[in-house]
Every structure is written in structure tokens, then in C-alpha cells.
Amino acid sequence: MEDELEDKILYQTLSKSHMKLLSKFAVGVTPLNSSLSYVWKVMRVYLLKPEVLIAGLLICLFVLYLQAAEVWSRGFIGRISNSLGLGGKAGGRSGKLSMLASAAEKNSWDERTTGSAVYAVQGRRAKMEDRFVISEDINNSGISLFAIFDGHGGEYAAEYAKEVLIKNIHQKLMQSSAIADGKESPVPKPGPCGDAPEEKNDDEKDADKSSDKEQEVNERYKLNAHNGNNDASAAVQRRQSFRKSKTEDTVGTGGAAGGATNGGVGAAASSNQLLENDLLSKYMGNQSPARQQVKKNLLNGTSGSGPAPVKPKTYDARCYVQNGSINFGKIITDEVLAADYDLVEAAKKLSDFAGTTALIAVIHRSKLIVANVGDSRGVMCDHKGNAIPLSFDHKPQQVREQKRIADAGGFIAFKGVWRVAGILATSRALGDYPLKEKNLVIANPDVLSFDLIDHRPQFLILASDGLWDTFTNEEAVAFVRERLDEPHFGAKSIALQSYNRGSVDNITVLVIVLKNGRYEIGSSSN
């Protein structure tokens, strides 16, 4: 007992002495400078009071409580809403994107093979005017063809290109391949090459077949026109569709607006406006005086637009083969120009002003040939992941295109975007015969060739401008590259993402996957 009492007394004595020392130190410590001394005095007077310390502690506890309550309530309410299928605040954005994707998928088309896939959505357009083609190993030749056609002003031109142009290219490719492989004689008949027109019975038969196909397209279109485009209101809708098509979304409906573009004042401005008025009047429906005059001229055998255009020459397939090598670029160019001539002539008879872009890619062994008319675009992802353009858009504001249009007596005007004669936002297209008659819009394709062994590409992207309105080349390549393991090789995902980003056009995306610089031919799966 005595030992315990001694220990307690000693502990109390030491504790009191320590507290005195600490209190003396706290009261008597002198800061090194006056500013610290002032801060220390303020803290002693205001912050170190018991009531202040207690209030601060209570506030901290209250904040921690609110934080914990928010986290708990968010998780609890989220679980309830998810169980009821209502979706919570945390899933609002993903739910909205899912709803947008579902809306886009309602009007969609797709095609898949083991090495390529295409996905197309109508999007926010009233009609689907895009067309696509996947044609692998044509006639067991090892040649594969892919194409995107972005129509505007109606479906007729894009459908014509898909049915007639592609068929003609197929025939020339098959014939040329047979010659290059030694299955047919490479010696051309007298006179089919050079400047002389082709004259041969086989081609006449082919032309007859093409005419049958053209007639089938025309009859199909006439039936559609009879069902929906026979009255003036339907014609107005077709005019509005033309003016809204492609990237031409911001044009007003005020007819021919004033204001010249190329510094045009006085006579130049007046001439430009007259030209624009004349062209716009042709897009105003079946009841417009200009369209009635067009029909009258056609019945009388006159065009009213100067001398009749000369039909482009076509040549024997042997002319495209030299030393066992096929000139794919020349084949596509000649067939595009020939098909455009036939399309314009057929469109005149139907008084149809539709047009279309054309993006055509041909793969044969280690060669890639890309022909482009308009503003659809192709991009390659090389082995390093770099985005390499396969084509370049034809826009009116480009120096080359602007000069060509001016030399033809036309002009360009800015109405939301730059437009040929204030109407069309692409300077090259198939169809569009009112602009084609004046040579303001042409169908001559730009052709680029690539060696797949040099570039060793991972994949190619061909797409209508509905995609490129919301994606750059680099963004598209990076996006698809991360999704090559998907069933559509990323084509579906990027098309729907473009729609979610606000694209207002039809969207068609075609992805072609290559391995070691070669395209592996596979079976189709729709």
C-alpha cells in the first residue's frame, strides 16, 4: 500500500511540473519575427479558445456526415431506379446516348464479310440516299471492288451508279483480268484504242445489257415517282431535299439571294444572279416554267442549252492491259464518264435533277486504286497507326475548282458553305444535269494509287460526308483502330457515334481490314 501511494504521489508531482513547464513555454515562447508573433497572438486570442475549437469540430463532423449521406443516398436511389428501369442521374448520359443509337438503328443497313463490313444509317434525313457496294473476288479474278455513293436531290443518281456503273466496271475488270492472265489474246482489234471509238459486237451486247439495267432502274424510279412525286407538293419536297442534301443544310429558302461572291458588282453581279435564278428555277418542281420548257425542248429534240455534249469514248478491254498489268485507274475513269453521260441523258427524260458522289476502291494483290468524285472520302491506317488520305474532297472554294467554274462562266457563293452557283456544295458529281449542262459541275474522278506492301495498312475507311462532318481523318482512324475486334470492325460504332455527335446527313461507313498488306477474301454475311 505504501509503495502504491508513493507512486501516485510521484506521478502527480511529475505531471504538475510538466504542465507548468509546457504552459510557461506556450506563454513565453517568442517567435522569430514580428509577423509570426502577431499570428500567434491572434491564434491565442481567437482560435485557441475552447468554444471555437468545439465549434470547428462540430462543423467538420457535420460536413463528413453530409458527404456520407450523399454517397449513400445516391447509391440507394440509383439501385431503386435501376431495379424499376427508370435510370438514375449517374446513368443519364449513357441512357441518352443509348436512345439516340436506338433511333439511328431503326433505319439502318449493313453487310459483313470476313474482311470488310459496311454500316449505313438514314439518320436525320427524310430519305436514305446513300448506296454502297462490296464486291469481292470478281469472277474469281482476285480483284475486289468497294464503293460509296452519296446521293443528293433524290435516290435516282446513287441507285443508277450502283446498278449501272458498277456493272459496267465489273465487265471491264473481268475482261481485262482474263487478258492479263493470258486467258484471252492481248492483241486488240483494229481501231479500238487511242482516239478511235470502240466498235465491236461484244460491246454492243454489253451496251444492250446496260440499257436493260438502266431501263430497270428508270422503271423502278418512275414507279416511285408515280406513287409519291406526281403532284406539285411532292416536287417541292424533292427540291427541298436537294437543297438540304449532303452538307447543304444551312441554305435559306429565299430563292436567288442577292450578293455576288467573286467581287462581282455591276454587270458581274447581275450576270451571277441571272445564272443562279435560272438554275434554281429548274429545281422548283414540275410546275415551274423552266422545267416545262425543258420538257418541251426534249420533245422537240432541242436542249436549249447550247450544243449537245459529246458522249465519252469507251475502249476495248485490251486497251487497258499492258505487259500483263491492268490500268485500273483508266478503266474507272472511262466508265465513270460514260455512265455520267448516260445518267444525265436519262435524267433529262425524267426531269430528275438528282446527283451523287462516287468513291470507288479496287484492290488487286498489293495494289490499291482509289477514284473519287465529290466529297465522300477514304482514309488509310498504316502499320504505325497514321491516317493517310486516300482521296481529297472536291469543294467549290478550292483554287483549282474555283478557276474551272469561273472559266465555265459560273461562280461560287457562300450560303452556309461554299456552293457552285449558290446551289451545290460539291464541285464534282455524277448527275446534276442543270449544272452539268453548263459544265459548272463535272464528273471527272481523281485517281490515286497505293502500294500496300510499302504502307502495310491495318485497315481502310470509305465513308460518305455524313461521317466526315463530325470526324477528322485522325479521329476516325483512332476510333476504328480500337474497335477492329467488333463484328463490323468498328463501322457500326463510328456511324452511330457520328449520329450521336449531331450529324444531320445520311451516314455510310465501310471498313476494309488488311493483313500484311493484303486483303483476305471471305464470304458475305448480311
Side-chain angles (χ1 to χ4, degrees):
M1 287 295 292
E2 294 178 357
D3 293 338
E4 292 179 0
L5 289 173
E6 290 177 358
D7 292 340
K8 288 182 179 180
I9 293 170
L10 179 62
Y11 175 76
Q12 291 176 358
T13 304
L14 293 174
S15 297
K16 290 179 179 179
S17 62
H18 286 148
M19 291 299 293
K20 289 179 179 179
L21 289 173
L22 289 174
S23 62
K24 288 181 179 180
F25 175 79
V27 174
V29 66
T30 302
L32 297 177
N33 54 60
S34 59
S35 59
L36 291 177
S37 176
Y38 178 77
V39 172
W40 178 247
K41 289 179 180 179
V42 171
M43 291 178 61
R44 285 170 55 192
V45 173
Y46 296 103
L47 299 181
L48 297 181
K49 290 183 177 180
E51 58 271 23
V52 175
L53 294 176
I54 294 173
L57 179 62
L58 292 176
I59 292 173
C60 291
L61 292 175
F62 184 69
V63 171
L64 292 174
Y65 168 77
L66 291 179
Q67 182 69 18
E70 181 183 359
V71 173
W72 176 85
S73 62
R74 186 192 307 157
F76 180 71
I77 295 173
R79 286 192 294 271
I80 293 176
S81 60
N82 288 336
S83 64
L84 296 177
L86 301 176
K89 181 179 179 181
R93 179 172 176 79
S94 60
K96 183 178 180 180
L97 292 177
S98 178
M99 292 175 60
L100 287 173
S102 299
E105 290 182 78
K106 289 182 180 178
N107 294 310
S108 63
W109 297 259
D110 74 317
E111 183 177 345
R112 287 178 291 156
T113 70
T114 56
S116 62
V118 62
Y119 197 84
V121 295
Q122 181 174 323
R124 295 172 174 84
R125 291 292 191 198
K127 295 181 179 180
M128 182 57 174
E129 297 173 335
D130 286 3
R131 297 293 187 272
F132 59 82
V133 174
I134 295 179
S135 185
E136 295 183 331
D137 195 16
I138 302 171
N139 199 33
N140 297 319
S141 62
I143 302 173
S144 297
L145 181 147
F146 309 88
I148 297 287
F149 301 106
D150 183 355
H152 49 264
E155 307 170 14
Y156 178 67
E159 185 69 21
Y160 187 99
K162 178 182 177 180
E163 298 294 338
V164 178
L165 171 59
I166 295 300
K167 178 177 178 293
N168 294 342
I169 294 177
H170 276 183
Q171 290 177 347
K172 279 290 168 63
L173 291 178
M174 288 188 295
Q175 296 168 4
S176 300
S177 177
I179 296 170
D181 294 340
K183 298 178 182 178
E184 293 186 15
S185 173
V187 180
K189 295 181 180 180
C193 298
D195 294 331
E198 177 182 7
E199 297 177 0
K200 53 179 286 184
N201 294 332
D202 291 342
D203 286 340
E204 292 175 359
K205 294 179 181 179
D206 293 341
D208 292 339
K209 293 179 181 179
S210 297
S211 298
D212 293 340
K213 197 70 175 181
E214 175 184 329
Q215 184 176 1
E216 179 184 344
V217 174
N218 289 344
E219 291 298 329
R220 190 187 315 163
Y221 180 76
K222 286 179 180 178
L223 179 61
N224 293 336
H226 176 73
N227 291 334
N229 298 326
N230 198 29
D231 54 13
S233 63
V236 172
Q237 290 179 357
R238 194 161 68 228
R239 171 181 62 86
Q240 292 175 343
S241 175
F242 175 85
R243 300 197 64 172
K244 292 188 295 181
S245 63
K246 300 178 69 51
T247 56
E248 306 172 306
D249 300 294
T250 56
V251 179
T253 57
T261 59
N262 295 323
V265 292
S270 177
S271 175
N272 288 348
Q273 187 166 354
L274 288 174
L275 175 60
E276 183 177 358
N277 289 340
D278 176 51
L279 291 171
L280 282 175
S281 67
K282 291 187 177 183
Y283 293 94
M284 291 180 62
N286 287 322
Q287 305 305 317
S288 69
R291 183 172 291 203
Q292 295 297 330
Q293 185 62 39
V294 168
K295 291 182 177 180
K296 182 177 179 181
N297 291 340
L298 290 173
L299 292 175
N300 295 334
T302 61
S303 65
S305 300
V310 179
K311 183 174 183 177
K313 298 174 182 177
T314 55
Y315 303 101
D316 188 276
R318 294 173 176 84
C319 299
Y320 301 104
V321 181
Q322 291 183 351
N323 300 323
S325 179
I326 304 173
N327 191 338
F328 293 102
K330 181 63 173 168
I331 291 176
I332 298 174
T333 298
D334 289 348
E335 293 302 329
V336 165
L337 294 177
D340 178 63
Y341 175 88
D342 294 336
L343 169 60
V344 168
E345 293 302 310
K348 286 180 182 178
K349 297 175 183 178
L350 297 172
S351 296
D352 188 280
F353 305 126
T356 183
T357 69
L359 180 63
I360 303 171
V362 173
I363 298 178
H364 183 229
R365 297 171 185 166
S366 62
K367 291 183 179 180
L368 169 64
I369 298 88
V370 181
N372 178 56
V373 180
D375 56 6
S376 294
R377 191 187 309 165
V379 181
M380 172 196 299
C381 175
D382 68 5
H383 67 284
K384 296 181 180 179
N386 298 320
I388 300 177
L390 299 178
S391 66
F392 297 93
D393 302 350
H394 292 132
K395 294 294 188 181
Q397 66 269 26
Q398 293 171 346
V399 175
R400 178 183 63 169
E401 296 297 289
Q402 186 174 357
K403 182 179 183 302
R404 179 187 59 76
I405 294 168
D407 291 343
F411 68 99
I412 66 172
F414 188 84
K415 296 184 177 180
V417 295
W418 286 102
R419 304 174 186 278
V420 179
I423 298 175
L424 192 61
T426 179
S427 57
R428 299 195 189 190
L430 281 73
D432 292 304
Y433 87 80
L435 295 168
K436 195 67 62 66
E437 282 184 331
K438 300 178 182 297
N439 210 34
L440 303 183
V441 172
I442 61 176
N444 301 59
D446 284 339
V447 181
L448 298 178
S449 299
F450 302 85
D451 190 324
L452 298 179
I453 296 178
D454 290 343
H455 293 284
R456 287 181 291 161
Q458 300 178 40
F459 59 87
L460 314 175
I461 302 175
L462 308 180
S464 61
D465 71 331
L467 174 71
W468 307 116
D469 288 343
T470 58
F471 275 86
T472 65
N473 292 357
E474 292 74 18
E475 289 174 341
V477 164
F479 189 95
V480 171
R481 193 181 184 193
E482 296 176 352
R483 294 165 176 82
L484 288 177
D485 57 343
E486 295 180 355
H488 290 84
F489 308 117
K492 179 177 180 180
S493 294
I494 195 172
L496 296 178
Q497 180 65 19
S498 179
Y499 178 84
N500 293 339
R501 289 187 179 187
S503 178
V504 296
D505 205 349
N506 302 144
I507 307 167
T508 301
V509 183
L510 197 162
V511 176
I512 307 163
V513 180
L514 299 99
K515 295 182 179 180
N516 300 320
R518 291 184 178 274
Y519 178 68
E520 295 184 357
I521 298 171
S523 59
S524 176
S525 174
N526 292 326

